[in-house]
Amino acid sequence: MTASVGSRAPRGWEACVPPHVAAAWKPLAVELGHGETTQAVTLGSGPALVLVPPLVGWKESMWAQAHGLAGRFRTVVYDLRERGRREVSWRTHLDDLERVSARLAPGRFALLGHSLGGALALQWAVERPERVTALVLSSTYAHIRFDPAAWWTRFAVQGAALAMNRWLPEAWALAGARRLSRRGLWVYDPGCDEAQLRLVRAGVRAARPGVA
């Protein structure tokens, strides 16, 4: 008997994305050892590319990147382990990436990570440089540090955005998200479309407050 330990996207996430995206999204279970599994999705064909999601952990948070890159790459994206009462170790995350890549991207591949996913990708590439053809890092970090100049964005703007998405009615929350997008604030940028704004809101509403 196996147990799924991967993060789970909010129910109904499919309604937030274009229909052709949901139709092509076919998760499969990947063994992580010790009777544990996570889910992954593989799209497209060509050179292998593995995407590592951010702290929220669910692969669906990177649907836009996965589908955009699938035209040129065999793109793999998977669920990070779900954060619970017990912290998941850095080593465990790196071992999971090893097992997922061995199953779905054997040999050499490009590696792209966002935020926490970028930190994991960076450390894995340091340990396994012979496997990595290219390394792309987005909004990532080598260690956690809060510069006083970033406190306004980190705490005030982020706190307001989380509260807006979690508690305001959808129309109001989306209107606020559009304003943030135009200014490139929080996780938004001017390239965000309505599907991405709705998916961010769904994720915030589904996440436990402690994780958020």
Side-chain angles (χ1 to χ4, degrees):
M1 184 175 180
T2 60
S4 178
V5 297
S7 297
R8 297 179 182 178
R11 290 183 179 179
W13 76 272
E14 298 91 345
C16 300
V17 302
H20 74 277
V21 171
W25 204 258
K26 300 184 185 301
L28 57 88
V30 178
E31 296 283 344
L32 299 177
H34 308 290
E36 297 175 328
T37 65
T38 191
Q39 288 196 332
V41 166
T42 300
L43 301 167
S45 60
L49 168 64
V50 176
L51 308 182
V52 188
L55 176 60
V56 65
W58 29 280
K59 59 190 176 299
E60 288 79 8
S61 65
M62 301 191 79
W63 72 264
Q65 293 88 348
H67 279 265
L69 292 164
R72 296 181 58 189
F73 299 93
R74 182 175 182 272
T75 305
V76 176
V77 59
Y78 69 101
D79 293 322
L80 298 184
R81 285 178 182 260
E82 187 173 18
R83 290 169 60 90
R85 296 181 179 179
R86 186 177 64 178
E87 187 68 25
V88 179
S89 73
W90 192 259
R91 183 73 262 161
T92 299
H93 276 307
L94 294 173
D95 289 345
D96 289 348
L97 175 53
E98 173 70 26
R99 290 178 182 275
V100 171
S101 63
R103 164 78 187 279
L104 300 177
R108 304 182 72 212
F109 58 90
L111 187 57
L112 185 158
H114 176 65
S115 191
L116 172 66
L120 291 170
L122 177 61
Q123 182 61 43
W124 195 86
V126 168
E127 294 186 2
R128 301 297 304 274
E130 75 283 358
R131 295 280 308 281
V132 180
T133 60
L135 177 64
V136 181
L137 307 176
S138 167
S139 298
T140 194
Y141 47 84
H143 56 85
I144 297 174
R145 180 185 65 184
F146 292 134
D147 189 316
W151 283 14
W152 171 256
T153 299
R154 179 68 177 174
F155 296 106
V157 175
Q158 177 170 260
L162 289 170
M164 173 189 75
N165 279 296
R166 194 172 190 94
W167 289 303
L168 289 185
E170 183 176 43
W172 294 6
L174 292 178
R178 292 186 202 102
R179 287 194 290 272
L180 293 178
S181 295
R182 287 193 291 269
R183 298 177 63 185
L185 294 175
W186 195 43
V187 299
Y188 302 113
D189 65 45
C192 290
D193 60 18
E194 289 292 305
Q196 290 167 321
L197 300 182
R198 289 196 298 272
L199 188 60
V200 169
R201 179 175 182 271
V204 172
R205 289 171 63 85
R208 295 188 300 275
V211 173

